[in-house]
Amino acid sequence: MSFARETDHGTPPAVATGKTVTLTIDGQSVTLPEGTSIMRAASLLGGSIPKLCATDSVESFGSCRLCLVEVEGRNGYPASCTTPVAEGMVVRTQTDRLKQLRRGVMELYISDHPLDCLTCAANGDCELQDQAGAVGLRDVRYGYDGATNMGQAKDQSNPYFDFDPSKCIVCSRCVRACEEVQGTFALTIENKGFESKVSPSQGEDFLGSECVSCGACVQACPTASLIEKAVVETGTPDRAVVTTCAYCGVGCTFRAEMRGEELVRMVPWKDGKANRGHSCVKGRFAWGYARHRDRILNPMIRASVDDPWREVSWEEAIAHTASEFRRIQAKYGTRAIGGITSSRCTNEETFLVQKLIRQGFGNNNVDTCARVCHSPTGYGLKTTFGTSAGTQDFDSVMQSDVILVIGANPTDGHPVFASRMKRRLRQGAKLIVIDPRRTDLVKSPHVEAEHHLPLRPGTNVAMLTAMAHVIVTEKLCDEAFIRERCDWDEFADWADFVSQPARSPEAIEPLTGVDPREVRAAARLYATGGNGAIYYGLGVTEHSQGSSTVMAIANLAMATGNIGREGVGVNPLRGQNNVQGACDMGSFPHEFSGYRHVSDDTARGAFERAWGVTLDAEPGLRIPNMLDAATDGTFKGLFVQGEDILQSDPNTHHVAAGLAAMECVVVQDLFLNETANYAHVFLPGSTFLEKDGTFTNAERRIQRVRKVMAPLNGHADWEIVQLVANAMGLNWTYGHPSEIMDEIAALTPTFAGVHYDRLDAEGSLQWPANDAAPDGTPTMHVDGFVRGRGKFVVTDYVPTDERTGPRFPLLLTTGRILSHYNVGAQTRRTANTAWHPEDRLEIHPSDAENRGLKDGDWVTLRSRAGETTLRALITERVAPGVVYTTFHHPETQANVITTDYSDWATNCPEYKVTAVQVMASNGPSDWQQDYAEQARHSRRIAPLEAAE
Amino acid sequence: MSDENQVMSTGDRLIYMANQIARNLATQPDAEAATAEHIRAFWSGDMRARLVALAADRPDALSPVAAAALRRIAG
């Protein structure tokens, strides 16, 4: 793709009413939706009315007066951005009088703008420059001295963009983008007249303000007033490639704007159906890790983890890997090795890893990082609805009337979707938040939850069952929906169960700690408030009853008829970029791609015929089972692609013991991560910028990942897996990831219609995409559930065995923060550390006072599993008795604290409930110091021997 | 679990997991069958075999539902 700016129609599309009007613009007749602006109409006709304050990402403003037009029969010169088209209207966009007026306006702008175009970073990419040309400006009668702001200092505090007040034309596009697109309201115009200027928050600099660095303001700025530092340093891009972000499960698409082989900036793609032209700080700016000095670019091996690494050729590394795996199998048995696929890698790479294990290793010992996040979603939604996937697309939220968010913090974890959700809330939708913490959604500018139910961690099932109690006993169910779509007898059993007095909000208050009146009010609102949509995250799944909670959510949606149309549904917010895809691709040890059990003879037979081997009909080992088997001496070899189980999985001591017990651990990653401390082979990986493939986001949307630069390590990840497979004798011959997708489509009924040519032509497809749904499926279960009739499942509350007591009186819950992603392997290697240089422990003021703690003090955090130290952040975001931290930094290793307890159905760890004690500390624990030394020792790379 | 810093042995964990499954499926119409089916569907053959052996050695370790489910699996 060559470089061309995306077309800016000036104003957003009209809200659809189904009506159209016909008008004439500059002699051309056009029929358009009612409500379209004249500016947009002219643009759609191929013209362009001069503009400065208008851009189609925000509502029209009508301040710059450059877009004036003449309308026959009307007095004056209306602004085309704020004037809607009308039936029979005759518009002229270019007349002598309009030229004169526009030049006059432009003269005023230029009289107060520095004319340093040749040295300006936006030279050639500046709308002010373009518009001066468009209106034919040749002179400025007022001189160039204006009351410019040229003396004002630039605000360069933000690590990714600069703000130069002297170049600001006070068009307010940035302010409106912050309000309308991002929903943060961090910017304002302060002062008046020539003194007017953009100001973040209360006169603070950008870094210290409420600004979340989403980049919407930079994107909206028509000049170089807000501009990426990368453009300042590198120059403007000369080509662009559309690709998909490798951070969270929203799956934003971006134009990777390049100058040669160098990435200049990532600009959110307006046609992206997941992000609709918006971005967050991670996707927009935090891609510098791709060229970070810590990247390992050469394969390495070592006999023992006590040895330094030795750089070797790809041939030697691959041969050694295959040889070791075959040696282990010969000695300990076929099932003594396994592998882990990555939710950060592409569908094609994930498919190949599970194929390597099933076809090459000859067993089903494959698992994925979804084990520790959304495996309960797979179990719960497959049981109740028939398939493991969210029911809606992201656009659906704009049709919701009541939004219930449980166990999710989308403003931090899924910020681009959160912006969309907040936009809907500002339009009047009601919000219910069920979360132990007072997350930003509970109250932020122009958004406030109708009900916040701050339940005690671990009581989700009791809470949701109490809401069901209210809905059933107050006869708020949608009986017609249930009779038509669900199994009535199962509903009746469930209704009897939830109706029992022991399930009432009053009865469960001692468990949840939530005012029963609030629970009743929230339940009534969800059941009767119109379209009710549920969004949930890891605060639902990462519990000993994670799967039960997912099923309890599904029960609520079915009972109220909130399934099968826009605006409703059950929506898991996936953590990593390709969690959905990794699960779809057969990464679990019990099922093939498309969620078909390995014991299913028909499905297994199809794979056996395609791959020419007999496949194991027995489920394999999950990650925790592999680690247990390793400590028992029966599991000896592990292939880990793009995953850092030592940092991300619970009970670090146990993970370390399992890894240490293995004879061959192969890590394929960008960096020497924590797991690599226990590895014997390191295969350098490639970033999402360096390979082709697809990711599938949380709305089941399959999108292309496109290579924008050559892999620094020499191979895309799928090529490396193919090298290993062939070294093990499998004879794979893939020449391009599109061929892998063709195989996926041939073997996976829900992907049957997914091919690269269609993805390239249509931008994306939401599975199922097959003969029954040729254009994909934005909304699931429209005419019936995938499993036939929706299944109500009785979900009895079973308390976790992790209990507080005198020694461990507080409950720890963990999560993540906006600026970091998962274990931080990528974001810690970017300037995002400016916002979050370390993990902190959030603790309520009363709990802090009881312990004599001040904000910023070092504290020891201790559980039955282990202890670490970190600094305290005293805040009322957490309730008394609850503490919270993130797991982004290996120096903290929050998972030293978390325990082995896990979801009963899937073994998803119970990260969200750990009994702990907190006490003052003087600094890092002995364990942290020992670990730091061990990590340093393990990461040694032997110097290359001099050539003879 | 006590307040001691300890990790369950694999055997203890298998028993714990089986009991946990049985406890969460206790409200199903046929809890024994549901528990047996769950273990068949999601546990490896080696894990099932080991649990059967553990149950023989430690007959009181499993809850009645889990023990009955295991008899179905072993049978």
Side-chain angles (χ1 to χ4, degrees), chain A residues 833-900:
Chain A
T833 51
W835 289 279
H836 190 78
E838 60 185 342
D839 294 318
R840 291 280 193 111
L841 183 77
E842 291 188 5
I843 185 168
H844 190 271
S846 64
D847 290 324
E849 187 177 359
N850 289 341
R851 289 161 175 78
L853 302 175
K854 300 188 302 296
D855 197 59
D857 279 356
W858 281 96
V859 296
T860 294
L861 176 66
R862 179 180 297 158
S863 74
R864 295 180 180 91
E867 73 175 47
T868 189
T869 60
L870 67 172
R871 292 200 293 156
L873 175 65
I874 297 174
T875 172
E876 292 184 349
R877 283 167 66 93
V878 290
V882 177
V883 293
Y884 168 87
T885 191
T886 50
F887 59 101
H888 302 306
H889 291 270
E891 295 79 10
T892 312
Q893 290 275 22
N895 283 318
V896 169
I897 305 301
T898 53
T899 70
D900 285 330

Side-chain angles (χ1 to χ4, degrees), chain A residues 202-494:
Chain A
Q202 305 298 314
E204 298 160 296
D205 63 21
F206 268 86
L207 184 62
S209 75
E210 297 160 333
C211 167
V212 292
S213 288
C214 67
C217 58
V218 179
Q219 195 177 350
C221 182
T223 72
S225 186
L226 285 159
I227 192 163
E228 298 92 343
K229 287 184 194 299
V231 174
V232 175
E233 291 160 6
T234 308
T236 49
D238 59 11
R239 66 184 177 98
V241 180
V242 173
T243 191
T244 303
C245 180
Y247 282 119
C248 78
V250 175
C252 298
T253 42
F254 284 83
R255 281 160 52 95
E257 297 192 353
M258 313 289 296
R259 175 162 281 277
E261 277 280 288
E262 187 169 4
L263 177 59
V264 178
R265 63 184 173 189
M266 296 282 279
V267 179
W269 190 37
K270 286 201 300 189
D271 290 339
K273 290 172 185 164
N275 56 317
R276 302 288 181 196
H278 191 35
S279 59
C280 79
V281 62
K282 296 188 285 288
R284 178 75 154 90
F285 296 116
W287 37 264
Y289 68 88
R291 296 208 169 211
H292 194 275
R293 63 181 178 279
D294 286 353
R295 266 192 78 178
I296 302 295
L297 301 178
N298 297 309
M300 303 188 295
I301 64 175
R302 59 184 172 185
S304 159
V305 297
D306 294 325
D307 296 337
W309 287 105
R310 181 167 65 85
E311 291 186 352
V312 296
S313 67
W314 275 104
E315 291 75 15
E316 183 176 351
I318 296 295
H320 180 75
T321 299
S323 163
E324 277 295 279
F325 282 154
R326 287 301 187 217
R327 178 188 67 77
I328 289 170
Q329 287 191 301
K331 184 173 179 182
Y332 299 102
T334 303
R335 291 175 175 158
I337 63 173
I340 300 174
T341 74
S342 175
S343 294
R344 299 180 208 170
C345 288
T346 64
N347 286 318
E348 294 76 5
E349 288 159 350
T350 303
F351 185 84
L352 286 196
V353 172
Q354 63 89 34
K355 179 176 177 179
L356 170 71
I357 291 160
R358 299 190 202 282
Q359 184 193 29
F361 293 4
N363 62 49
N364 288 315
N365 290 337
V366 55
D367 208 0
T368 185
C369 41
R371 173 67 52 216
V372 300
C373 66
H374 268 290
S375 51
T377 291
Y379 181 87
L381 295 188
K382 184 162 188 179
T383 302
T384 51
F385 297 162
T387 195
S388 170
T391 61
Q392 311 297 123
D393 60 9
F394 289 143
D395 286 349
S396 167
V397 76
M398 298 309 289
Q399 308 300 321
S400 299
D401 300 307
V402 178
I403 300 170
L404 194 165
V405 178
I406 174 170
N409 185 11
T411 53
D412 280 34
H414 305 85
V416 170
F417 174 68
S419 291
R420 188 98 58 91
M421 181 186 283
K422 290 202 290 187
R423 179 183 288 201
R424 180 60 186 155
L425 292 168
R426 293 197 302 274
Q427 291 174 350
K430 300 285 193 289
L431 174 66
I432 301 165
V433 175
I434 304 177
D435 201 292
R437 296 172 72 225
R438 203 183 65 219
T439 58
D440 284 348
L441 260 190
V442 173
K443 190 170 187 201
S444 60
H446 302 282
V447 168
E448 185 165 5
E450 201 83 0
H451 303 285
H452 175 213
L453 311 181
L455 78 179
R456 192 164 291 135
T459 60
N460 283 336
V461 170
M463 174 61 75
L464 292 167
T465 305
M467 291 180 70
H469 174 94
V470 175
I471 290 167
V472 171
T473 58
E474 296 188 9
K475 303 192 186 315
L476 305 178
C477 291
D478 185 341
E479 185 177 330
F481 178 90
I482 298 163
R483 286 192 180 279
E484 182 187 342
R485 302 286 301 277
C486 305
D487 185 302
W488 181 259
D489 291 340
E490 287 171 345
F491 165 74
D493 289 344
W494 173 79

